[in-house]
Amino acid sequence: MPTTKKRILTGDRPTGKLHLGHYAGSLANRVSLQDVYDTFIMVADVQALTDNFNHPEFVRQHVREVVMDNLAVGIDPSRATLFIQSLVPEIAELTVFFSNLVTLQRLQRNPTVKTEIQEKGRLFKGGKVTYGFLGYPISQAADILFCRAHLVPVGEDQLPMIEQTREIAEKFNAIYGDVFPLPEAKMSSLGRLAGLDGRKMSKSMNNAIYLSDDPAAVQDKIKTARTDSGSEIKFDPEQKPEIANLMTYYKLVTGMDMKAIEQDFANIKSYATFKEQLAKAISAFLAPIQEKRKEYEKDPARVDDILRAGTARALQEAKTTMALVREKMKIDYFI
Ligand code: TRP
């Protein structure tokens, strides 16, 4: 169906279930934007393989999980296009053409890649890094540009990727002729949600609350989260970083502002009570998400159908873009 709406592309690596950090950083934004934008959501299995090439079954196993997480938070498959990256080979083709436009030095400077190489020291021993991993920002630019997306809802950590995508689009357009819009990042208005220990919320750091955590798991995680000295529930990130962090969770799941939260707990002055309430509020927030997820868990064929239809739509867009690219790059032989 042709559409005049502007386009969104965003995606998730299928390396684990999604957590509240994903929700705050990107999922909530996607859901609210899917009415206004023609929305493409990619399961980035090719990107996941850049640092999981040695256990492909792990990547495969998580493909349906991330799709179900998206559906559970309210992505509507009749409006949004959910698809699998590796089934759109045009993305890999674009990656090859784009790789001529990016220097090694530029890739080595990408802050997200730099941090990840450090974090994945075990995989990239002695700072040695694969060509595929170092180059994944180019592949991510192809993810975004294959459907000529205008907007990319992402968390803060992805900003350098969007910056690099814009550089690639700009360079392509300047050399070969206009094909690509310069995509913009769309940051979440909910703000960054840190992990239970204050670091980035991440599966690998064991500090995440998953969208699929049951009330017992949530309670356990909140109970054992660190607190500060004192007993007052006050939002003071300098003096009380741990409590301030937990208060951002409370804010996210209740939609209340900090002042209202402080007022509600003004007479309580007990971290334990606050934590109990917080755990309850998180589980209340997650309950409808989990209910919806269960429907899909019971019906994997439906999830596959959604992916199949979405991938067909993505392929169509990819073909349209590639025709333009081939023409501009003068490789449109025999057509
Ligand atoms: N790099 C993103 C992440 O780790 C996932 C991703 C892959 C993505 N391709 C994308 C995000 C394109 C936005 C646009 O979360």
Side-chain angles (χ1 to χ4, degrees):
M1 216 189 341
T3 169
T4 50
K5 282 183 184 166
K6 284 202 172 182
R7 196 162 286 166
I8 274 178
L9 182 124
T10 188
D12 308 292
R13 293 182 185 198
T15 52
K17 293 180 178 184
L18 301 183
H19 50 59
L20 279 180
H22 292 117
Y23 182 85
S26 174
L27 295 174
N29 234 350
R30 296 178 193 179
V31 173
S32 63
L33 293 168
Q34 67 180 337
D35 292 326
V36 190
Y37 287 83
D38 182 21
T39 297
F40 285 71
I41 299 173
M42 158 189 288
V43 183
D45 61 341
V46 175
Q47 187 174 113
L49 284 164
T50 59
D51 57 343
N52 291 285
F53 57 85
N54 46 356
H55 38 278
E57 67 294 335
F58 170 79
V59 173
R60 184 181 178 118
Q61 189 189 318
H62 287 104
V63 168
R64 273 207 207 106
E65 300 292 340
V66 299
V67 174
M68 289 194 292
D69 281 334
N70 272 278
L71 294 167
V73 297
I75 289 298
D76 174 1
S78 69
R79 282 177 285 173
T81 302
L82 289 141
F83 70 101
I84 299 181
Q85 183 184 18
S86 63
L87 293 181
V88 183
E90 286 82 355
I91 296 173
E93 199 179 349
L94 271 182
T95 304
V96 172
F97 297 141
F98 289 165
S99 61
N100 293 327
L101 310 178
V102 182
T103 65
L104 263 181
Q105 291 70 22
R106 175 66 181 91
L107 288 168
Q108 282 157 344
R109 275 205 319 270
N110 184 306
T112 310
V113 175
K114 258 181 160 166
T115 321
E116 284 177 332
I117 290 173
Q118 278 164 6
E119 283 169 9
K120 294 174 211 265
R122 237 169 1 132
L123 186 63
F124 303 123
K125 287 191 193 78
K128 283 190 182 154
V129 59
T130 61
Y131 169 69
F133 189 83
L134 185 66
Y136 97 73
I138 304 178
S139 165
Q140 186 157 334
D143 295 347
I144 295 167
L145 296 174
F146 95 88
C147 66
R148 284 166 292 140
H150 304 92
L151 202 68
V152 190
V154 280
E156 194 177 35
D157 63 312
Q158 294 292 307
L159 291 181
M161 296 292 167
I162 315 303
E163 186 56 41
Q164 230 185 325
T165 301
R166 291 169 62 88
E167 284 173 30
I168 290 171
E170 215 162 12
K171 198 153 180 192
F172 184 101
N173 291 345
I175 296 173
Y176 303 111
D178 272 349
V179 173
F180 300 111
L182 302 187
E184 295 196 16
K186 173 84 180 169
M187 296 273 290
S188 166
S189 55
L190 297 172
R192 198 176 87 101
L193 197 78
L196 287 161
D197 56 1
R199 296 183 298 167
K200 181 183 164 185
M201 191 179 280
S202 156
K203 186 179 78 108
S204 55
M205 296 184 195
N206 216 353
N207 62 2
I209 293 179
Y210 293 93
L211 298 177
S212 47
D213 276 349
D214 64 23
V218 171
Q219 204 181 26
D220 220 46
K221 288 179 182 179
I222 296 297
K223 213 177 197 167
T224 53
R226 278 187 302 221
T227 48
D228 307 283
S229 56
S231 62
E232 221 179 321
I233 314 304
K234 194 162 166 278
F235 186 69
D236 186 348
E238 293 288 315
Q239 301 298 320
K240 293 172 172 255
E242 314 283 2
I243 285 299
N245 191 29
L246 293 179
M247 288 177 79
T248 63
Y249 289 28
Y250 202 90
K251 178 169 185 265
L252 173 74
V253 297
T254 61
M256 290 165 74
D257 65 31
M258 284 304 177
K259 273 272 154 301
I261 298 171
E262 285 178 350
Q263 271 163 17
D264 268 16
F265 287 96
N267 298 322
I268 295 204
K269 296 200 175 43
S270 152
Y271 291 154
T273 310
F274 171 68
K275 281 173 148 189
E276 267 168 42
Q277 295 296 323
L278 173 60
K280 273 193 202 144
I282 293 173
S283 291
F285 171 81
L286 293 178
I289 295 175
Q290 294 175 356
E291 206 168 300
K292 199 156 191 188
R293 198 180 198 282
K294 286 217 174 69
E295 285 172 31
Y296 287 104
E297 283 166 2
K298 276 189 289 194
D299 196 357
R302 189 162 152 219
V303 178
D304 287 354
D305 283 345
I306 289 168
L307 281 171
R308 213 175 279 120
T311 301
R313 164 96 209 276
L315 276 167
Q316 252 176 23
E317 291 305 325
K319 301 245 180 301
T320 308
T321 300
M322 284 318 291
L324 295 170
V325 165
R326 291 182 159 276
E327 184 202 325
K328 298 284 188 199
M329 292 187 73
K330 310 202 183 302
I331 52 173
D332 53 341
Y333 313 109
F334 316 129
I335 295 175

